[in-house]
Amino acid sequence: MSIDIETARRVAKLARIKVEEDALPALAGEFNAILGFIEQLNEVDVEGIEPMTSVTPMRLKRRIDEVTDGGYQEKVLANAPDAREGFFAVPKVVE
């Protein structure tokens, strides 16, 4: 797959990035380099390889999945500018 100048212009517009007309060929070249690297990665045989979280073998930290009440209501509301009856109080914005 190759990116031409028109496609680079369209991608820049969609990304809302201002790219000068004379910089579009360089941008298209960078896109082509990125796509070339992705195509190179697609050539690697990963059949039977387990996904990893790190380059060193480690397990993700686990915790018991249990429902609690939180117990932090006072701490959460401590910095609120206005808290009433255990809730954040906000000014009315719709009449």
Side-chain angles (χ1 to χ4, degrees), residues 12-32:
K13 181 180 178 185
L14 290 172
R16 299 178 191 257
I17 299 172
K18 182 179 180 182
V19 178
E20 299 298 330
E21 224 23 71
D22 58 338
L24 283 172
L27 181 63
E30 289 180 30
F31 284 153
N32 284 322

Side-chain angles (χ1 to χ4, degrees), residues 19-84:
V19 178
E20 299 298 330
E21 224 23 71
D22 58 338
L24 283 172
L27 181 63
E30 289 180 30
F31 284 153
N32 284 322
I34 292 168
L35 289 175
F37 182 69
I38 292 171
E39 287 175 4
Q40 191 177 15
L41 288 176
N42 283 333
E43 294 174 5
V44 177
D45 180 24
V46 293
E47 190 68 33
I49 305 295
E50 292 291 322
M52 300 184 331
T53 58
S54 174
V55 293
T56 58
M58 61 175 50
R59 290 182 51 96
L60 293 175
K61 294 182 180 179
R62 311 240 179 206
R63 63 174 172 79
I64 298 172
D65 190 16
E66 58 187 19
V67 177
T68 65
D69 64 352
Y72 300 107
Q73 184 177 16
E74 295 82 21
K75 289 181 182 179
V76 170
L77 295 175
N79 289 328
D82 188 9
R84 297 180 200 153

